Amino acid sequence: METDSGDGLGDRLRDANEEELGALIRDRLPEIDARAARQAFRNPFLSGPQIETLAASPALSAAYEVRREVVLHPRAPRLLALRLVAGLYWADLARVGTDPRLHPVVRRAADLKLIERLPGLASGEKMAVARAASANVIAALRLDPTPRVTGALLENPRLTEGLLMPLAASEKASPLVLARLAADPRWGVRPGIRNALCRNPATPLAAALAL
């Protein structure tokens, strides 16, 4: 079980003022374990150079939780965040891609890596991504043939009619997915979506007639 460094070092890293934080990281770096380091990331005075110092520690950089904290910190040096983002799990990639505090380049890198991994995700995992994904990932998921994934996508607060129109108009879309879209109480009633579904020969007849 991971324990905090001696004498409450994690608490001190979290609560220190700017000067104290710098001294702790400089003087006690070998004593800082992953749990204590995570507390440092909660300190509002943590700076980019200090993040680099923590990430340069072999013991800390070996800990997934620390690498994740680096990427998710808005003051993390961009090149460092970009180097680490590829190693994040899919759920954390989704978090990075939708975090407005982070640099757009870092968010975009997370989106691209997540899109690359989508084919290997189970349906339940894709559903979790679909509910909260960024616009870039929505665009990659919208033609998924699984109605449950589409249903989750329709719940995404970042979804727009513009992102949905290519699905509604696609003759390659699954008829079951198109029927799910047509039946959606939020999106199926929109004139643009309804017109696209009605014109789409892949839309099941019963679904089109109900529009």
Side-chain angles (χ1 to χ4, degrees), residues 160-185:
T160 64
E161 186 169 328
L163 285 168
L164 265 183
M165 285 298 291
L167 168 60
S170 175
E171 297 182 19
K172 296 181 180 180
S174 162
L176 292 176
V177 164
L178 294 174
R180 175 65 183 82
L181 174 57
D184 189 79

Side-chain angles (χ1 to χ4, degrees), residues 58-117:
L60 296 179
S61 64
Y64 177 84
E65 295 84 355
V66 173
R67 299 195 301 272
R68 178 181 60 198
E69 294 284 357
V70 171
V71 178
L72 283 166
H73 200 287
R75 294 198 193 105
R78 194 183 316 166
L79 291 179
L80 175 61
L82 288 172
R83 177 165 59 83
L84 297 178
V85 72
L88 296 184
Y89 299 145
W90 64 264
D92 292 321
L93 289 172
R95 286 178 61 193
V96 173
T98 56
D99 191 332
R101 304 172 306 149
L102 304 181
H103 194 281
V105 172
V106 176
R107 298 202 308 267
R108 175 67 173 170
D111 283 345
L112 291 175
K113 182 56 64 173
L114 180 55
I115 290 168
E116 180 183 310
R117 294 187 190 171

Side-chain angles (χ1 to χ4, degrees), residues 2-25:
E2 190 182 56
T3 58
D4 197 356
S5 304
D7 70 2
L9 183 54
D11 292 341
R12 295 178 65 188
L13 286 164
R14 182 192 63 221
D15 300 331
N17 62 33
E18 186 173 5
E19 183 178 350
E20 292 168 342
L21 179 62
L24 286 169
I25 292 176

